Amino acid sequence: MARWSALVLAAGAGRRFGGGKLLAPFAGAPLIRRTAEAVCEGGFAEVVVVAGADLATITAALDGLPCRIIAASDWQEGMAASLRAGIGALAPDTAGVFVFLGDMPLVPVVLCDELAALAQDAGYAARPVVSGKPGHPAAFTRAAFADLAGLRGDAGANRLLAGRASGVAYRATDDAGALIDIDAPGDLAAAEAAWKVRATSVTSDSAISRGAFPKPGRPSGA
């Protein structure tokens, strides 16, 4: 991932949520911070966060994280404006970019190495699929940059991928985090419950690897 960039789209006002969605408390921190933390652990060459409606407060929420925050002055146009601003801010030598959404804190960053390889082999892009449904993050090679920068309106990169008959690879996964986003206040509780299940699983796996807990199915002391 050393030659790949990560782009986190966080410019919208969250109107369906009632405003301030990305600053809503999630697992003890603002939602956007939880998403950015996960992305920053992915080993990317750079992490760029595109903000707009809540630029100042999102900047404050991400204080201390190794990411660069840029403003999409025309964010009210929709997601395309965020993508244009983000693509224009990437390092000139980047091999490709992963597009993340700020309201998806459970996104499976662990798949990114494989998705990058798949995208390069396919030539244009790659993304995960859960039970036949395309998810996030989407990986785009440089061959897609001009198309991403040419998007207009409230259409995201899905338009580019759905319209291509070739050049796009898909990686099946059972990780529901590739689909879980937060649109309404009621989505927070369900997403946070999934977060806690994942956190518990990671903690248990870590304890097992250290020998603090016995491996499942293996008697203690065996």
Side-chain angles (χ1 to χ4, degrees), residues 5-49:
S5 301
L7 189 59
V8 182
L9 305 184
R15 292 186 181 90
R16 281 182 291 176
F17 189 86
K21 173 175 69 173
L22 296 179
L23 300 167
F26 183 87
L31 174 60
I32 183 58
R33 185 174 183 91
R34 289 305 190 200
T35 300
E37 285 172 343
V39 176
C40 286
E41 292 177 359
F44 300 101
E46 61 178 347
V47 176
V48 177
V49 179

Side-chain angles (χ1 to χ4, degrees), residues 7-9 11 48-52 68-75 77-91 145 148-152:
L7 189 59
V8 182
L9 305 184
V48 177
V49 179
V50 183
R68 179 159 49 99
I69 304 167
I70 66 167
S73 58
D74 52 353
W75 64 268
E77 175 190 332
M79 192 175 293
S82 298
L83 283 166
R84 292 198 305 269
I87 293 297
L90 299 181
F145 282 18
L148 289 167
L151 288 170
R152 293 292 183 272

Side-chain angles (χ1 to χ4, degrees), residues 152-178:
R152 293 292 183 272
D154 198 26
N158 283 337
R159 177 190 295 176
L160 299 179
L161 300 180
R164 290 189 66 90
S166 63
V168 181
Y170 294 91
R171 199 282 193 183
T173 177
D174 59 0
D175 191 328

